[in-house]
């Protein structure tokens, strides 16, 4: 019961902070969005040149450093990795392609619904179906194989990179890219964003907050523990949006969103399936990377690469809707995820060993 209260409290804080970040300058319904923020960071360091989505988002840095600090303090920092790294990189990229088809990660999906964007319902439906497909393969013995204990320095590198990005952002390094218009130009002050990220990183590390895990556990065990955190995010973000006057119920005229139901569904189906295979949603991967898990760090780098690919090759959606290139990429990615799922199942492994 104590753990249930803790994760509900964490969800409430995340929901409230998400609305406050919008008040201080973040785009509407985007107080927190791991996919969108990693996309902006990819643009900020020049991996793509979509001028409207370029900024080093302190919230992501805060998430990683919050988890890092708490895991060090509680002696939970453990460096391990080596579990199918290239497969994880590819899965990270396709999860990002799916998220950018929908225009948001699971966290933003909930925040969009809390803001009245009914398109998020299609995303949630697709996400649940994708997780269900992933669970089917988990039940067939899917595994990316074990990870191994690694030298401590390996675990410190990812938090160190985030500290480096923070220093570059604060110093205003001239070689970084910053949007002058569009979502990338809309952001809360650096220290407010960083502080919010640190708080959420701390809470997510302590409670294991993860939407993939929540839906997966509901399917496998009828356990509502993890999903209750996201229910709390929804309720408190909804209350905050109503109080602040941000709530706008409907399918059309939603901020940084499109109303193509099919591709909202398909994009999040891909993101959900890939996230199950990785063992957690994008936010959970950042938290694990902060704890020293290099497999998750590789997954996050794959997401950054996926964001760059999506914008360099016209795969990402916009308010005008999905692109043809994006639709093709989602379908190809679904086939690829299905192959990875089957190839790493117990049946395929035993057949190969025979």
């Amino acid at each position: 019961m104590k753990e249930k209260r803790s994760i509900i409290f964490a969800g409430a804080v995340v929901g409230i902070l998400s609305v406050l970040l919008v008040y201080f300058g973040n785009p509407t319904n985007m107080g927190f969005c791991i996919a969108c923020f990693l996309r902006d960071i990819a643009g900020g360091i020049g991996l793509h040149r979509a001028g409207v989505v370029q900024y080093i988002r302190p919230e992501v840095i805060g998430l990683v450093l919050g988890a890092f600090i708490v895991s060090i303090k509680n002696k939970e920092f453990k460096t391990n990795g080596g579990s199918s790294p290239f497969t994880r990189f590819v899965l990270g990229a396709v999860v990002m392609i799916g998220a950018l088809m929908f225009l948001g990660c699971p966290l933003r999906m909930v925040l969009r619904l809390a803001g009245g964007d009914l398109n998020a319902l299609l995303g949630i439906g697709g996400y649940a179906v994708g997780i269900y497909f992933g669970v089917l393969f988990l039940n067939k013995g899917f595994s990316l194989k074990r990870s191994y204990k690694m030298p401590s320095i390996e675990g410190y590198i990812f938090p160190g990179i985030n500290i480096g990005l923070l220093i570059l952002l604060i110093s205003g390094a001239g070689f970084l890219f910053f949007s002058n218009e569009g979502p990338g130009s809309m952001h809360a002050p650096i220290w407010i964003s960083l502080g919010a990220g640190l708080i959420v990183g701390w809470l997510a590390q302590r409670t294991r907050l993860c939407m993939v895990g929540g839906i997966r556990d509901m399917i496998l065990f009828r356990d509502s523990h993890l999903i209750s955190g996201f229910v709390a995010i929804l309720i408190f973000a909804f209350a905050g949006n109503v109080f602040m006057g941000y709530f706008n119920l409907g399918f059309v005229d939603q901020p940084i969103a499109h109303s193509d139901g099919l591709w909202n569904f398909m994009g999040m189906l891909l993101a959900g399936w890939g996230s199950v295979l990785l063992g957690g949603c994008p936010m959970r991967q950042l938290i694990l990377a902060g704890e020293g898990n290099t497999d998750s760090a590789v997954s996050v780098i794959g997401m950054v690469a996926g964001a760059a690919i999506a914008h360099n090759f016209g795969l990402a959606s916009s308010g005008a809707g999905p692109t043809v290139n994006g639709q093709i990429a989602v379908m190809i990615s679904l086939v690829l995820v299905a192959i990875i799922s089957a190839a790493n199942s117990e049946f395929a492994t035993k057949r190969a060993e025979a």
Side-chain angles (χ1 to χ4, degrees):
M1 183 60 69
K2 183 179 178 181
E3 291 182 354
K4 191 74 168 282
R5 287 198 298 266
S6 295
I7 199 166
I8 291 173
F9 173 77
V13 172
V14 173
I16 293 168
L17 285 177
S18 297
V19 176
L20 288 175
L21 284 170
V22 172
Y23 172 78
F24 284 111
N26 279 14
T28 307
N29 292 353
M30 200 188 291
F32 266 102
C33 176
I34 308 308
C36 305
F37 290 177
L38 290 176
R39 170 204 63 197
D40 292 354
I41 291 173
I45 60 177
L47 296 181
H48 71 71
R49 300 306 168 90
V52 295
V53 284
Q54 295 175 314
Y55 181 61
I56 306 299
R57 292 282 180 178
E59 296 90 344
V60 168
I61 297 171
L63 282 169
V64 174
L65 297 184
F68 172 69
I69 292 168
V70 175
S71 65
I72 291 287
K73 176 181 177 295
N74 294 322
K75 296 181 171 54
E76 294 177 345
F77 185 88
K78 296 178 181 178
T79 304
N80 51 62
S83 168
S84 304
F86 191 65
T87 298
R88 290 181 183 276
F89 177 89
V90 171
L91 286 172
V94 300
V95 164
M96 179 62 75
I97 289 171
L100 292 181
M101 169 59 73
F102 170 74
L103 290 177
C105 68
L107 179 53
R108 186 177 184 233
M109 181 172 66
V110 173
L111 295 176
R112 282 174 58 174
L113 184 59
D117 184 352
L118 297 179
N119 297 293
L121 293 173
L122 280 301
I124 292 172
Y127 201 62
V129 171
I131 291 172
Y132 177 74
F133 285 161
V135 167
L136 289 179
F137 283 96
L138 291 181
N139 288 333
K140 292 181 181 296
F142 174 86
S143 172
L144 290 178
K145 309 304 179 287
R146 61 165 296 188
S147 59
Y148 301 87
K149 185 177 180 180
M150 306 184 78
S152 295
I153 186 63
E154 291 284 337
Y156 291 125
I157 290 174
F158 190 74
I161 289 173
N162 280 270
I163 292 172
L165 286 174
L166 180 61
I167 293 170
L168 291 175
L169 174 63
I170 293 170
S171 66
F175 51 80
L176 296 177
F177 296 84
F178 297 99
S179 298
N180 294 316
E181 58 182 359
S185 67
M186 303 167 68
H187 48 80
I190 291 174
W191 296 112
I192 291 176
S193 298
L194 180 65
L198 286 167
I199 292 170
V200 175
W202 168 56
L203 291 171
Q205 197 278 337
R206 298 310 302 149
T207 62
R208 279 41 178 177
L209 188 64
C210 177
M211 190 164 186
V212 163
I215 297 176
R216 179 202 62 208
D217 289 355
M218 281 292 292
I219 294 173
L220 283 173
F221 312 116
R222 301 295 186 266
D223 183 349
S224 64
H225 172 71
L226 289 176
I227 200 67
S228 63
F230 277 84
V231 173
I233 293 173
L234 175 64
I235 292 170
F236 280 85
F238 165 74
N241 282 321
V242 171
F243 179 78
M244 301 295 292
Y246 300 145
F247 188 77
N248 175 34
L249 185 65
F251 287 95
V252 297
D253 298 325
Q254 297 294 337
I256 315 174
H258 63 80
S259 56
D260 189 317
L262 173 62
W263 292 101
N264 279 324
F265 182 93
M266 295 299 292
M268 290 312 290
L269 188 156
L270 173 60
W273 192 348
S275 293
V276 170
L277 303 187
L278 285 173
C281 65
M283 182 173 72
R284 183 66 182 148
Q285 297 301 321
L286 281 172
I287 299 302
L288 288 171
E291 295 176 353
N293 189 316
T294 63
D295 291 332
S296 291
V298 169
S299 300
V300 172
I301 298 302
M303 293 176 198
V304 173
I309 291 168
H311 280 282
N312 285 331
F313 293 95
L315 311 182
S317 300
S318 68
T323 67
V324 173
N325 286 359
Q327 294 170 9
I328 294 171
V330 166
M331 299 309 295
I332 292 174
S333 296
L334 283 169
V335 173
L336 179 59
V337 170
I339 292 171
I340 290 172
S341 299
N344 290 279
S345 70
E346 189 176 55
F347 172 76
T349 303
K350 286 182 177 179
R351 188 170 181 177
E353 290 174 351

